[in-house]
Amino acid sequence: MSNIVIVESKNDAIFMKAMVEFLNCDIQIEQPIYIDEYKALSGLDETKLTNALKALKADLQKTDIEKIGIIIDIDNYSDRERLEFVYRCIKQVFEAESLSSTKQFIDISGDNGTKAKLACDFTNFGGRGELETVLKAIKARDSPYADCLDSWKTCIESQGKTIDRKGFDKFWVSIYLRYDTCSKKEQKRAGEKCSMSRFDYVMEHKKDIWDWDNPALDDLKEFFKLFC
């Protein structure tokens, strides 16, 4: 039986895979979590998520898929708004019972009696944000370079300019990777080894720059344990 998780981007997939690897080491009694495939949407809108579900519906005809997960950013929406968004997409593709909460499977039905279970969750910290918001919350190294961006933000705001929280979090993480966690050797090839554009390298070689026991990850851990 296969498990598939739909995420928004390649970097989301890289992070979620690392999370699953961590849980496999952490879970002593339950059988390991096994996710066969991560499907990246490359951004998010209703059409992209609906099309991804349509592709899964076709896969159900030829692959024994047991569980489907959907993880999208909460951004500045509420849980209810995001649940309604996901359910609108599901209903365009599958026969499905109501989606009333995160981290709870619902039964979905495709053509020819094909069935699977589906659950969703929203990447967030403190009820807002996206991947970078979570990464900022779970940093495990001293971060003087990145933290000084708070003074920069105060300065530009004093000049009548603004930067939204999403943009600020992305900037913070990029500085953390580039200056707070990048070795002198790596700095010679910083674009390849110390940036979100090469997040695969970061997560393969420097997982310890994140605190995997941080409570900010409890919600995602609970979600992935549904796939045990």
Side-chain angles (χ1 to χ4, degrees):
M1 301 289 279
S2 298
N3 297 322
I4 292 178
V5 172
I6 298 171
V7 295
E8 282 197 41
S9 71
K10 176 183 175 182
N11 283 347
D12 286 308
I14 292 168
F15 182 76
M16 299 308 169
K17 286 179 182 178
M19 171 72 71
V20 167
E21 290 173 6
F22 175 84
L23 288 174
N24 283 343
C25 296
D26 187 54
I27 298 172
Q28 301 299 319
I29 299 174
E30 302 286 353
Q31 62 182 342
I33 299 169
Y34 184 63
I35 307 296
D36 298 86
E37 187 174 356
Y38 293 83
K39 294 181 179 292
L41 297 172
S42 300
L44 180 66
D45 60 39
E46 191 167 322
T47 299
K48 287 181 178 179
L49 180 52
T50 301
N51 286 341
L53 290 170
K54 287 179 179 178
L56 273 179
K57 185 179 182 180
D59 289 342
L60 278 171
Q61 306 297 316
K62 53 190 176 182
T63 306
D64 197 2
I65 298 172
E66 180 184 13
K67 296 176 181 178
I68 299 167
I70 298 174
I71 303 176
I72 61 174
D73 299 336
I74 199 165
D75 289 326
N76 292 315
Y77 296 96
S78 67
D79 272 9
R80 173 52 49 193
E81 289 171 322
R82 272 311 200 211
L83 284 166
E84 290 174 352
F85 168 82
V86 172
Y87 189 58
R88 283 199 307 271
C89 298
I90 293 171
K91 285 293 288 181
Q92 292 181 54
V93 182
F94 296 102
E95 292 182 15
E97 56 188 290
S98 176
L99 183 66
S100 58
S101 66
T102 59
K103 297 181 289 297
Q104 182 176 344
F105 280 117
I106 62 170
D107 293 320
I108 59 172
S109 300
D111 298 331
N112 302 321
T114 54
K115 294 183 178 182
K117 292 186 177 297
L118 184 148
C120 70
D121 201 20
F122 308 131
T123 305
N124 75 95
F125 174 67
R128 64 166 180 81
E130 56 177 356
L131 176 61
E132 281 83 358
T133 313
V134 173
L135 293 177
K136 183 174 182 288
I138 66 167
K139 64 97 178 182
R141 299 276 185 87
D142 290 336
S143 50
Y145 285 96
D147 289 342
C148 279
L149 290 174
D150 288 326
S151 297
W152 168 80
K153 184 173 181 290
T154 299
C155 178
I156 63 169
E157 287 173 346
S158 72
Q159 304 299 315
K161 306 296 182 181
T162 61
I163 180 170
D164 62 31
R165 175 54 59 178
K166 182 173 183 175
F168 181 80
D169 288 347
K170 287 181 178 291
F171 193 21
W172 191 99
V173 171
S174 70
I175 296 300
Y176 178 66
L177 294 180
R178 174 65 178 83
Y179 294 101
D180 290 313
T181 67
C182 197
S183 68
K184 290 183 178 180
K185 183 178 180 179
E186 288 174 328
Q187 285 175 2
K188 295 177 181 179
R189 299 170 62 187
E192 298 177 23
K193 299 186 176 182
C194 309
S195 70
M196 287 300 287
S197 63
R198 284 303 311 273
F199 195 50
D200 53 343
Y201 176 88
V202 173
M203 296 307 292
E204 181 179 353
H205 297 280
K206 297 190 287 185
K207 286 190 181 73
D208 62 334
I209 69 173
W210 314 114
D211 175 12
W212 295 97
D213 293 312
N214 193 293
L217 296 177
D218 287 350
D219 187 68
L220 280 172
K221 289 177 182 179
E222 185 179 347
F223 175 74
F224 277 117
K225 286 178 182 179
L226 295 176
F227 292 82
C228 288

